Amino acid sequence: MIPRTPLASLPTHDVINMPPHLGDQDFWQSDNALQEGVLREGGSWAASHLATFGKLAGANDTFEKAEQANRSAPELKAFDRYGMRVNQTVFHPAYHELMSMAVEHEVASFAWNHAGPGAQVGHAALTYMFSQVEGGAMCPMAMVYAAIPALRTTPSVADEWVPRLLSTHYDPRDVPVTEKTGATAGMFMTEKQGGSDVRTNTTRAIAVGTSTGIGTEYRLTGHKYFCSAPMCDAFLTLAYTDIGLSCFLVPRWTPDAERNGLFLQRMKDKLGNRSNASTEMELQDTWGVMVGEEGRGVRTIIDMVQGNRMACCVSSAGLMRQGLVQALHHTENRSAFGNPLIEQPLMRNVLADLAIEVEAALVLSLRIARALDEGDTDEDAAALARIGTAIGKYWNCKRAPAHVGESLECHGGSGYIEESIMPRLYREAPVNSIWEGAGNIVCLDVLRAMQRESAAIPALLSELESASGANAALDAAIDNLRNELKNPDDLECRARTVTELMAITLQGALLIQHAPAAVSGAFCASRLAPRWSGAYGVLPADVDFDFIIGRAQHA
Ligand SMILES: Cc1cc2nc3c(=O)[nH]c(=O)nc-3n(C[C@H](O)[C@H](O)[C@H](O)COP(=O)(O)OP(=O)(O)OC[C@H]3O[C@@H](n4cnc5c(N)ncnc54)[C@H](O)[C@@H]3O)c2cc1C
C-alpha cells in the first residue's frame, strides 16, 4: 500500500520533482474519445453502466488488486492432500475479487445480456476499460464472451450452458456446475505439434454410444499445450473423429458429477499475463459433447476465435490508453532542464503521437463493434465486421508493444521499475498479438476474408469512401490500397503490407469523420505520409500539440 502522504523530507535530502501517486482514475469520465465513440456508435443507453464500471475499474484499489494478483501468480494443485487428483489452480484472493468485479459488471456477458443496437459497443467499452487494469482476468472474460455464438450452434448445449455463462454471479467453486450460480468457459485448440495449424491436432474422440454427431456424447484422448484459465467450468476444444476435426464441449465435471478427465500437467511460466493460469493438459477418456457439425470443428470454433480476436483488438487499445495516461501524469509532474517534461517540444511530440495512436485504435475498435451489432440484419455490416476484426486484431496488437514501451520510456528510469505499472503493461502487451492467431496468421485471415467473402472489400472501401476528398494524404493512401488490391501477384507475401494499409486508411477515414481536426490531421500527416517510420514522436512540427495532449488528459 502506498501511503497517501509520503514523507518527503528525509534525513539526507528532500524528495522533490517526483510525481504524486496517480491514485484513483475514472476510465470513463476522463476519456473524451471513449465517451464520444460509445455515444456515436449506438451505445448511449449503456453510458451509466459504463460510467459506474469506469470508476470502479480505475480505482486505486483495483490497481492494487491487479498488482497482487500478478505478483502472486496462480499455482498448480494437481493433487489434494490425500493424493487424489483434483486438477485445480490456486489463485491469489485478489484475482477472485477482480473476476467477481468483471463478472458482476458484465465484462463477459454485456453484449448478449443486452443484445440489440449498441450492445457490442458497450461490451467493447467494458473490455477497453478493464484491460487497462488487468489482462489476466480479461482472458476468461474474453473467452466467455466469445464462446456464446459457438455454443448456439447446438441448441441442447446452449440451453444448458449459455444461461450459466451469462450469469452475473461469480462462483469460483470447483463443484459440479449444476450446483453453481454462474460459470466460466475456456478454449483449448493448441497442441504441441501445431497451434496455428490446428489440422495437425492428434486428439481423438470416440462416440460413447451408437449415436454420433452434433449434441451426442464422446470420449476424448490426447493433449493440449496451451490451456489458459483451466479453472473454468467448461471448455471448447477440437478432436478428430473418423469424419474429421470436430468441436466438443468438455466440462470440468461430468453430468454424473464426477471429475472429468482433464489432467493438468504443468503451469506455464509466462512473460506476462501472470495472474492468469496457463497450463498444459492431457485428456484421458475425457467426457465431451459435440458442438456443431461433425467434421466442421474449425468452422464451429472459429466463431469463438473471432470473438477472442475482437477482444484482443480492443484490449490492446486499452493497454495503450493506460500507458498514455501514466506517461501524461509522469511528464506533467516531472521537470528536466528547468521545465516540466510535458512542456518540452520533443516530449510533446512523443505524447501527442501516443495519444493519436490510442484514439485511432479506439475509433477502429468501436466502429467494428457497431458493425458486429448491425451484422445480424445487415450483410454489409457483417462483412465489415468479419474483415475489420482481423484488421483490428493485427494492427492494434502490433502497435501496442512499441506504444507501451514508448510510454514507459517517458518515465525515464522510474518506468522500468516494477512499482510503477509500466513493466506489467509492457509484459502484457505482446500476448494479444500471439494468442488467437499470431500476426501472420491474422493477415492470412484478411486474405481469406477478401477471397471468400465477396462483400468484404466493397464494405471496407465504402467505409473509406465516406471520408474521401477531405484529406489529400488519405485519398492517396486509399488509391495506394486500391492498387495493392488490384495486384494479385505474391499476395501472401504482401499480406502484412495490405493489412497495414487497410488498417491505417480505415483509422484515418474514421478519424476524419469523427475526431477533432487536430487529431485526424496529425494522424494523416504522419501515418499516411510516404516517409512514416512507425516510431512514435515523429509528428510534423505544425501539428496542434496543445489540443491533442489536452484532449488525451483528464477531462
Ligand atoms: C499466454 C498464452 C496463453 C495461451 N492460451 C491458449 C489457450 O487457452 N488455448 C489455446 O488453444 N491456445 C492458447 N495459446 C496458444 C496460442 O493461441 C498459440 O501459441 C498461437 O496460436 C500460435 O501457435 P503456435 O504457438 O503453435 O505457433 P506456430 O503455429 O508454430 O507459429 C509460429 C509462428 O509462425 C507463424 N506462422 C504459422 N503459419 C504460418 C504461415 N503459413 N505463414 C507465415 N507464418 C506462419 C505464426 O504467425 C507464428 O508467428 C496461448 C498462448 C499464450 C502465449
Side-chain angles (χ1 to χ4, degrees):
M1 174 76 79
I2 298 161
R4 288 196 182 276
T5 48
L7 207 56
S9 191
L10 301 179
T12 57
H13 62 285
D14 288 338
V15 180
I16 55 167
N17 197 23
M18 280 296 182
H21 182 50
L22 181 50
D24 291 335
Q25 298 181 43
D26 187 329
F27 289 157
W28 173 256
Q29 212 58 50
S30 66
D31 195 331
N32 292 309
L34 176 63
Q35 291 179 55
E36 289 166 20
V38 166
L39 266 47
R40 179 180 67 244
E41 304 296 0
S44 55
W45 55 268
S48 76
H49 181 76
L50 298 173
T52 303
F53 184 70
K55 220 177 170 65
L56 189 62
N60 185 49
D61 189 44
T62 312
F63 276 93
E64 286 189 1
K65 283 177 187 149
E67 166 69 13
Q68 287 166 356
N70 279 277
R71 271 195 189 270
S72 309
E75 289 175 8
L76 176 63
K77 186 180 167 193
F79 297 91
D80 72 5
R81 59 191 291 202
Y82 298 114
M84 310 281 186
R85 189 89 199 208
V86 288
N87 296 311
Q88 288 177 336
T89 321
V90 180
F91 292 91
H92 188 280
Y95 185 77
H96 291 300
E97 290 179 45
L98 292 163
M99 286 287 287
S100 179
M101 176 192 297
V103 170
E104 282 170 19
H105 290 84
E106 302 182 291
V107 174
S109 58
F110 191 86
W112 314 118
N113 283 343
H114 306 275
Q120 296 280 355
V121 172
H123 169 256
L126 290 167
T127 300
Y128 171 79
M129 292 194 284
F130 195 56
S131 300
Q132 293 187 43
V133 64
E134 225 293 279
M138 192 57 234
C139 168
M141 291 302 101
M143 291 198 286
V144 169
Y145 157 73
I148 304 300
L151 293 174
R152 285 183 173 156
T153 60
T154 308
S156 58
V157 175
D159 288 350
E160 203 182 335
W161 281 92
V162 169
R164 292 169 183 153
L165 296 176
L166 298 186
S167 164
T168 52
H169 292 116
Y170 175 58
D171 186 342
R173 290 174 304 146
D174 183 18
V175 295
V177 73
T178 46
E179 298 170 25
K180 296 183 63 162
T181 55
T184 50
M187 177 182 79
F188 309 152
M189 292 169 69
T190 309
E191 295 188 2
K192 288 175 184 164
Q193 67 283 353
S196 309
D197 186 0
V198 292
R199 295 168 310 174
T200 63
N201 275 193
T202 56
T203 301
R204 300 283 312 174
I206 295 174
V208 169
T210 49
S211 304
T212 58
I214 183 166
T216 59
E217 298 177 34
Y218 285 77
R219 293 276 173 183
L220 281 64
T221 300
H223 80 281
K224 297 291 163 182
Y225 191 44
F226 275 92
C227 305
S228 292
M231 74 296 180
C232 289
D233 300 283
F235 310 92
L236 283 177
T237 192
L238 294 174
Y240 273 100
T241 67
D242 290 342
I243 289 183
L245 198 57
S246 306
C247 180
F248 297 88
L249 179 128
V250 290
R252 170 169 286 284
W253 293 77
T254 70
D256 299 333
E258 300 287 337
R259 281 187 189 279
N260 205 357
L262 296 163
F263 296 95
L264 298 188
Q265 301 300 299
R266 66 172 175 149
M267 191 72 77
K268 303 272 199 192
D269 186 7
K270 296 178 289 184
L271 168 69
N273 196 250
R274 294 184 69 86
S275 65
N276 181 27
S278 296
T279 57
E280 294 171 23
M281 190 177 288
E282 285 183 5
L283 289 77
Q284 292 174 27
D285 212 24
T286 310
W287 187 91
V289 55
M290 188 178 284
V291 176
E293 274 180 63
E294 185 168 8
R296 305 261 297 153
V298 174
R299 177 65 208 90
T300 305
I301 214 166
I302 206 74
D303 282 341
M304 184 165 183
V305 173
Q306 290 293 3
N308 282 329
R309 285 181 179 171
M310 180 62 190
C312 292
C313 162
V314 183
S315 252
S316 290
L319 276 172
M320 290 193 273
R321 168 68 188 169
Q322 185 52 216
L324 171 67
V325 168
Q326 297 284 340
L328 288 167
H329 175 75
H330 188 89
T331 54
E332 211 181 337
N333 292 285
R334 173 96 173 161
S335 295
F337 303 100
N339 281 313
L341 289 170
I342 201 169
E343 289 174 14
Q344 317 246 5
L346 188 50
M347 182 59 91
R348 294 178 77 66
N349 197 327
V350 173
L351 293 169
D353 212 351
L354 294 171
I356 285 166
E357 192 69 32
V358 173
E359 191 151 349
L362 180 63
V363 80
L364 176 60
S365 303
L366 294 177
R367 177 66 189 90
I368 300 164
R370 192 182 96 208
L372 284 167
D373 275 324
E374 294 169 348
D376 287 342
T377 53
D378 177 340
E379 275 180 26
D380 292 337
L384 183 65
R386 165 71 182 87
I387 196 165
T389 299
I391 295 168
K393 152 77 160 122
Y394 174 68
W395 191 240
N396 283 3
C397 299
K398 192 55 65 191
R399 295 294 287 160
H403 190 281
V404 176
E406 198 64 64
S407 295
L408 185 155
E409 191 175 318
C410 291
H411 293 69
S414 298
Y416 202 72
I417 303 305
E418 283 294 335
E419 284 160 324
S420 83
I421 187 185
M422 295 313 301
R424 181 158 70 80
L425 288 185
Y426 188 65
R427 287 193 300 269
E428 188 68 27
V431 76
N432 282 331
S433 193
I434 296 172
W435 58 18
E436 310 306 333
N440 287 353
I441 294 300
V442 174
C443 290
L444 295 176
D445 187 48
V446 169
L447 299 191
R448 195 171 304 115
M450 279 166 58
Q451 286 153 359
R452 294 202 186 156
E453 306 205 13
S454 56
I457 292 299
L460 176 68
L461 292 175
S462 141
E463 193 68 30
L464 299 180
E465 273 151 20
S466 310
S468 73
N471 181 290
L474 177 61
D475 290 347
I478 296 172
D479 286 346
N480 192 1
L481 174 61
R482 284 183 191 281
N483 289 334
E484 287 285 347
L485 294 174
K486 266 188 225 150
N487 176 7
D489 298 336
D490 305 317
L491 205 46
E492 191 168 329
C493 181
R494 294 189 290 117
R496 281 192 183 223
T497 308
V498 171
T499 306
E500 175 177 327
L501 205 41
M502 287 175 173
I504 55 178
T505 48
L506 187 51
Q507 288 180 328
L510 292 168
L511 290 173
I512 289 275
Q513 292 173 84
H514 308 305
V519 173
S520 60
F523 182 92
C524 294
S526 53
R527 276 60 172 172
L528 305 181
R531 286 182 54 224
W532 183 53
S533 70
Y536 292 100
V538 294
L539 296 175
D542 60 356
V543 154
D544 189 344
F545 295 103
D546 286 350
F547 180 87
I548 296 170
I549 292 172
R551 176 171 166 80
Q553 282 175 312
H554 298 255

